[in-house]
Amino acid sequence: HVFVLRRGCMAAAMLGREEKLPLVEEEGRISAVENKSAVGKSAAGSPVSEAAMSVVACLVYLTVGPTLILVNRHILKEVGFNFPMALSGLGLVGASLSSVVLMKVCRVVEPRQSHLITPRFVLLNLAPIGAAMSATLACGNAVYLFLPVGFIQMLKAFTPTVTLLMLCLLRIEMPSPLVSLTVVGMCAGTAAATLGAAELNVMGLLIMLASETAEALRLVLTQKLLQNNNFGVVEGQLYMAPISFLWLACASALVEMPRAVSSQAWRVPYTQPWPFVLSVALGALVNYCAAAVIKLTNSVTLKVKGGR
């Protein structure tokens, strides 16, 4: 009888404990269920794992980005497809299609912030990112028609400074004095190096300035979308890439389409398809890696790493 009584008391105690699990204590402590969930989240997103993911994203970005630059320059120069807006849209097509496959077809990635997508949200958040991205890609590829690759990469060192100013003006992030001094010093050294450049093209410099301004705005708005609104990398591309492609497609149709039709340049991808296929794949991968670096670190880090 004593054994049965003890077992009954233990069962009652366990039942009472289970009933109290979801309740929050009056003194403001976290309940057992919430505590367990918090421990699981902290284990999944530990600083060590986030640091490792940041390093991997940066390494992949540093590998794929320069490769895409060389491939696109080959298409513009050697292949003769000098339509930078249309060429820039290839990576956005790849990012759009792959994100749809991952989220809508294979359902590998689950949507987390789809409830935020309203016409007002698209107009105020996604449309400006798309416009800035299309301007960045169009100007970024067009500048290779006027300036050499090495000189362009030197000029890109000014982008972190512009990005830093955008972050401060839009009150998204306030960098520390040490970070600000480091970025300004790096850009000052680059300015000193570019003064002695032999090939200075005014049109190329203006296009590069427009590209850097649009790039800084795009990065800052993307950081706000990914971090402040907690969008995932793939989910962010699902909404950002198609809108950016629409901006580029409209601009290309107005500026490049008449020349492409008259010169029959639209046949070039059919005669030499592999450089364009490679540009689609690398462009999509660059978009994913750039979004991952921004989400895990910030937009200034992306540009210090040598962003495209």
Side-chain angles (χ1 to χ4, degrees):
H1 294 289
V2 174
F3 176 76
V4 173
L5 181 60
R6 287 180 177 176
R7 291 293 300 271
C9 293
M10 291 175 62
M14 292 297 294
L15 181 59
R17 187 181 301 175
E18 290 177 356
E19 291 176 351
K20 291 179 181 179
L21 277 177
L23 299 178
V24 181
E25 298 181 3
E26 295 180 357
E27 296 179 359
R29 299 177 183 176
I30 302 177
S31 66
V33 173
E34 292 174 342
N35 191 28
K36 182 178 179 180
S37 176
V39 171
K41 290 180 180 178
S42 63
S46 62
V48 176
S49 62
E50 289 185 359
M53 292 173 60
S54 301
V55 171
V56 171
C58 290
L59 289 177
V60 175
Y61 184 82
L62 289 174
T63 303
V64 178
T67 306
L68 178 62
I69 289 175
L70 295 177
V71 170
N72 284 348
R73 189 180 187 279
H74 172 76
I75 295 174
L76 289 170
K77 291 286 188 179
E78 280 73 19
V79 177
F81 189 80
N82 57 343
F83 301 95
M85 294 183 186
L87 181 61
S88 301
L90 296 180
L92 296 174
V93 170
S96 301
L97 293 178
S98 59
S99 61
V100 169
V101 170
L102 290 173
M103 296 194 67
K104 302 297 184 181
V105 180
C106 299
R107 298 187 182 277
V108 178
V109 181
E110 292 294 330
R112 295 184 300 178
Q113 303 295 330
S114 57
H115 62 279
L116 294 177
I117 306 302
T118 61
R120 176 181 174 82
F121 185 87
V122 171
L123 183 63
L124 297 180
N125 294 274
L126 298 178
I129 293 177
M133 179 179 286
S134 61
T136 298
L137 294 176
C139 295
N141 278 325
V143 74
Y144 289 103
L145 299 173
F146 300 93
L147 298 174
V149 175
F151 187 57
I152 291 172
Q153 295 307 307
M154 284 195 300
L155 291 177
K156 283 185 177 182
F158 289 102
T159 311
T161 301
V162 184
T163 306
L164 209 62
L165 293 175
M166 290 282 186
L167 286 172
C168 296
L169 291 176
L170 297 179
R171 300 182 181 276
I172 295 176
E173 182 179 345
M174 297 302 293
S176 64
L178 181 60
V179 172
S180 303
L181 185 61
T182 302
V183 172
V184 172
M186 180 179 64
C187 295
T190 304
T194 56
L195 290 177
E199 301 182 33
L200 285 177
N201 186 288
V202 177
M203 180 59 69
L205 291 176
L206 292 177
I207 294 175
M208 192 64 199
L209 178 62
S211 175
E212 291 184 351
T213 304
E215 173 76 344
L217 181 61
R218 178 187 74 87
L219 290 173
V220 170
L221 295 177
T222 302
Q223 178 176 333
K224 178 184 177 183
L225 180 72
L226 295 177
Q227 293 184 358
N228 297 3
N229 294 313
N230 199 27
F231 275 84
V233 173
V234 179
E235 188 177 13
Q237 292 302 312
L238 179 67
Y239 302 121
M240 288 189 294
I243 293 178
S244 302
F245 175 74
L246 286 177
W247 280 100
L248 265 179
C250 293
S252 179
L254 292 174
V255 178
E256 297 177 341
M257 185 64 72
R259 184 162 52 93
V261 172
S262 62
S263 62
Q264 295 187 343
W266 55 271
R267 294 185 177 181
V268 175
Y270 293 98
T271 59
Q272 303 184 55
W274 293 114
F276 294 90
V277 173
L278 188 58
S279 180
V280 170
L282 292 176
L285 190 55
V286 163
N287 285 326
Y288 282 119
C289 291
V293 173
I294 293 174
K295 183 173 179 61
L296 295 171
T297 57
N298 56 39
S299 51
V300 177
T301 300
L302 179 71
K303 300 320 297 178
V304 171
K305 294 293 181 186
R308 177 170 58 94

